Amino acid sequence: MAKEYDVVIIGAGPAGLTAALYASRANLKVLLLDRGIYGGQMNNTAAIENYPGFDSILGPDLSEKMYQSAIQFGAQYQYGTVEQIEDHQTYKIIKTSDEEFKALAVVLATGSEYKKIGVPGEDEYSGKGVSYCAVCDGAFFKNEDVVVIGGGDSAIEEGVYLTQLAKSVTIIHRRDKLRAQQILQKRAFANDKIKFIWNAAVEEIQGDQNKVTGVKYRDKKTDEQRVIKTSGVFIYVGIQPNTEKLRNLGVTNATGWIETNDLMQTKVPGIFAVGDVRQKNLRQITTAVGEGGLAGQGVFDYIQTLKD
């Protein structure tokens, strides 16, 4: 038989943990499900310097503090990879690889993943100079030379952002022209701190044991290999939502992101979405926490309507 809860929250990153805190504090029976350790991408962040209340805190430490807050009012947490969610209107069935749960409401907090370029050194130096978020990590590279890989909107926006901090920004792109919007291109070309390397295929991110030292790339026109020295590599070749197992619910848009209203409600009653899985512009811990609070309260309000 399926175990019954008021709400099942899928994903235990900052958004899911905050939703669990608010929902359990409202005396709801809450289950947090995650396929990995609680905290999500915070666990891969060496230091977090843009979360209110802390000058700097290790990602795993903030994860632990949020987790302890989330479970203090009785929310339960367990590992589980969700395979399917069934909408039965007044209740939902959540199926993992080996269990089933029944809930009046579901909060989707499955997050997103940055696409990787898949070259040697990318994983090895992740958090040691390789980053996928300039807003998160740019401050670690003040007055240093950094590289941005990509040519779309995100790469150019973040490249311009980095010029406020870095000594120089070199954008490496595999084509001979950018894909970004014209207004973004205009800003980048007008910025004296930004340089471009065109028609370049990145082949390796180099470094010593502790940090990035350079990027090796191949000139696609001459086939010549070159190395640019840098201490920071920001990769922007795309981001994708973790919604593959959620498509049957009809809550995702054409590109896979979940759209909600301002109360974090999807178009399916009883299903909410929070955090990086949502269609939005800024994906940060602060925004995730705010959305989690709204969803936790929203779940309580929704369940009350079922009792009317």
Side-chain angles (χ1 to χ4, degrees), residues 174-298:
R174 60 182 178 176
R175 298 190 175 94
D176 59 0
K177 59 182 179 180
L178 301 173
R179 294 179 289 108
Q181 299 175 55
Q182 287 299 317
I183 188 170
L184 297 178
Q185 294 190 37
K186 185 177 180 180
R187 290 173 190 165
F189 292 139
N191 195 310
D192 292 338
K193 282 191 173 183
I194 294 181
K195 297 175 284 187
F196 294 88
I197 297 177
W198 305 103
N199 297 302
V202 174
E203 296 188 333
E204 182 184 3
I205 296 173
Q206 300 178 338
D208 57 26
Q209 292 183 348
N210 298 314
K211 62 180 181 178
V212 165
T213 59
V215 173
K216 182 169 76 172
Y217 65 94
R218 176 175 54 84
D219 187 310
K220 294 169 67 175
K221 287 190 172 181
T222 65
D223 209 38
E224 180 183 359
Q225 287 186 325
R226 299 171 183 167
V227 175
I228 178 173
K229 293 183 179 180
T230 184
S231 57
V233 180
F234 293 83
I235 300 172
Y236 292 99
V237 293
I239 186 172
Q240 55 194 13
N242 294 320
T243 54
E244 183 179 350
K245 301 294 178 64
L246 309 176
R247 303 297 173 91
N248 67 298
L249 294 172
V251 297
T252 55
N253 62 19
T255 52
W257 300 98
I258 300 177
E259 296 179 335
T260 73
N261 62 16
D262 291 343
L263 299 177
M264 305 300 116
Q265 299 166 325
T266 70
K267 59 185 177 182
V268 177
I271 297 182
F272 298 74
V274 293
D276 288 1
V277 75
R278 290 181 62 240
Q279 179 71 61
K280 62 177 183 175
N281 293 325
L282 186 63
R283 292 181 169 86
Q284 293 284 283
I285 298 172
T286 49
T287 59
V289 166
E291 293 164 17
L294 286 167
Q297 181 62 40

Side-chain angles (χ1 to χ4, degrees), residues 98-176:
D98 54 6
E99 285 187 272
E100 287 191 11
F101 305 94
K102 181 179 179 181
L104 299 175
V106 170
V107 177
L108 305 174
T110 52
S112 61
E113 295 178 348
Y114 289 98
K115 293 180 181 177
K116 296 185 176 183
I117 55 176
V119 300
E122 182 177 13
D123 290 336
E124 181 181 355
Y125 295 107
S126 179
K128 300 176 182 178
V130 172
S131 173
Y132 303 86
C133 179
V135 175
C136 309
D137 300 326
F140 296 114
F141 301 93
K142 287 183 178 178
N143 300 317
E144 297 185 28
D145 299 312
V146 301
V147 163
V148 172
I149 298 173
D153 287 352
S154 294
I156 304 309
E157 284 179 331
E158 301 304 280
V160 172
Y161 173 84
L162 285 167
T163 61
Q164 302 176 75
L165 303 164
K167 179 181 178 182
S168 73
V169 176
T170 300
I171 296 176
I172 299 178
H173 189 38
R174 60 182 178 176
R175 298 190 175 94
D176 59 0

